[in-house]
Amino acid sequence: MSSTTTGTTGTTDPTGPAGDPGNLTPSTATARWRTVDVVVASALAVAFGVVFWAWGNLWNAVQPAFTAFPPGQGFMYGVWLMPGVLGALVLRKRGAAVYVELLASIVSALLGTSWGLTVIAYGLVQGAAAEIVFAFALYKSWRLGTALLAGALAGAAAALMDLVLYYVDLGWSGAWQLTYVALLAVSSAVVAGLGSWLLVRALARTGVLAPFRSGADQARV
């Protein structure tokens, strides 16, 4: 893919040829989705949808190991929050976190899960929680701290849904509930936040993110 050169600075903008000209303002650039954005976001979502399905099977398989302390299984949760954060960091587009997380959950539902169609509601809420963080940063901060916060908030949102939908009748103590929320938030911050941030940096070095600003920024580091 060729690059577009700006007339004033002589620098290249990797997003230009795919319909996102280099002279767009940052706010316009984050709002406009190009064909390549949709394709890559969808590919990420489908891949993670398969991961969701496999991870769900693993979750159910090891669940008996946590019979004595069920909240402890929360440390495994972060994988389910990764596509939303990763999608936002790669695409840097408004709505990317919701789109990738939601579509991944739909794919996993189609593959079949023990939780049925409720996983789609989870995908929407988890994606929206991560999206809120990037929105509050005005879609201008893609640093590690922002990624960690997005992952943590998405994990906390998922934990609250779990407590309401699945664990409300199990008689968990307040301490168990708080532990579960904390574990999900930490797991999601580490796996979805830090993991996605590191993955973007690694992918950028290979050149596969060349069509995106995320790839161009890493190339300058």
Side-chain angles (χ1 to χ4, degrees):
M1 180 177 290
S2 62
S3 59
T4 300
T5 303
T6 61
T8 55
T9 64
T11 59
T12 59
D13 186 343
T15 63
D20 193 3
N23 61 356
L24 288 177
T25 64
S27 60
T28 304
T30 57
R32 176 181 293 182
W33 281 61
R34 305 163 297 155
T35 301
V36 68
D37 297 323
V38 177
V39 171
V40 171
S42 300
L44 285 173
V46 171
F48 271 99
V50 177
V51 172
F52 281 5
W53 171 79
W55 199 251
N57 290 333
L58 177 62
W59 176 279
N60 291 330
V62 303
Q63 197 165 30
F66 296 91
T67 302
F69 186 59
Q73 195 172 8
F75 85 94
M76 296 176 58
Y77 218 100
V79 171
W80 280 312
L81 287 305
M82 194 168 184
V85 180
L86 180 62
L89 292 178
V90 169
L91 274 68
R92 298 189 177 184
K93 300 291 182 182
R94 299 177 188 178
V98 173
Y99 180 88
V100 179
E101 187 77 29
L102 177 59
L103 184 55
S105 69
I106 292 172
V107 171
S108 69
L110 293 175
L111 292 174
T113 76
S114 59
W115 300 284
L117 296 179
T118 57
V119 297
I120 298 177
Y122 271 82
L124 179 59
V125 171
Q126 291 165 179
E131 189 78 38
I132 286 172
V133 174
F134 294 109
F136 268 98
L138 302 178
Y139 297 99
K140 294 180 179 179
S141 174
W142 312 101
R143 296 175 179 173
L144 177 58
T146 307
L148 291 173
L149 185 57
L153 185 60
L160 292 176
M161 287 190 70
D162 278 353
L163 292 175
V164 172
L165 296 179
Y166 295 108
Y167 303 135
V168 66
D169 296 324
L170 296 183
W172 280 17
S173 67
W176 275 25
Q177 294 182 43
L178 288 175
T179 300
Y180 188 67
V181 174
L183 277 175
L184 261 66
V186 171
S187 172
S188 301
V190 173
V191 178
L194 176 60
S196 295
W197 186 78
L198 291 174
L199 184 56
V200 169
R201 292 173 67 85
L203 289 173
R205 294 190 189 101
T206 69
V208 298
L209 299 184
F212 303 98
R213 293 184 186 277
S214 54
D217 284 353
Q218 293 302 325
R220 299 189 190 105
V221 176

